[in-house]
């Protein structure tokens, strides 16, 4: 029913075809990005039983975004005095 209405409208107003193409493309791209975030993001956990907190199981040589997990803070210079 909806497809027949859209087809009839596009036959009567062919200038709407590019609009429909771009809106459909944007919808598909945003859905794909949302699926990528849900499936590939390390902060998302779909398995509650085997690995409920995967962000805690980072190997020492891995880096999460721009934060070094295995940094040795005892070797840093102190720029300010302790209070």
């Amino acid at each position: 029913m909806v497809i027949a209405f859209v087809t009839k409208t596009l036959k009567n107003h062919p200038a709407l075809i590019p609009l429909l193409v771009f809106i459909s493309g944007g919808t598909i791209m945003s859905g794909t990005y949302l699926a990528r975030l849900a499936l590939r993001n390390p902060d998302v956990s779909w398995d509650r039983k085997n690995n409920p907190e995967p962000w805690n199981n980072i190997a020492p040589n891995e880096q999460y975004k721009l934060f070094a997990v295995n940094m040795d803070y005892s070797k840093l210079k102190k720029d300010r005095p302790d209070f």
Side-chain angles (χ1 to χ4, degrees):
M1 183 168 139
V2 174
I3 295 174
F5 176 73
V6 170
T7 307
K8 183 179 176 185
T9 304
L10 290 178
K11 284 182 182 178
N12 292 335
H13 305 286
L16 293 177
I17 293 173
L19 181 66
L20 181 68
V21 168
F22 284 109
I23 289 176
S24 300
T27 303
I28 290 170
M29 286 191 299
S30 63
T32 304
Y33 182 66
L34 183 64
R36 180 184 175 272
L37 285 177
L39 298 174
R40 304 288 295 170
N41 195 351
D43 290 338
V44 178
S45 176
W46 293 95
D47 189 8
R48 292 184 184 180
K49 293 181 182 177
N50 295 331
N51 195 7
E53 297 176 347
W55 50 88
N56 288 334
N57 298 331
I58 298 175
N61 59 352
E62 289 181 1
Q63 197 174 14
Y64 180 69
K65 298 197 179 181
L66 298 174
F67 177 71
V69 176
N70 60 348
M71 187 170 183
D72 187 10
Y73 291 101
S74 65
K75 295 179 183 177
L76 285 177
K77 290 182 190 177
K78 291 186 179 181
D79 294 333
R80 59 187 178 137
D82 293 328
F83 292 103

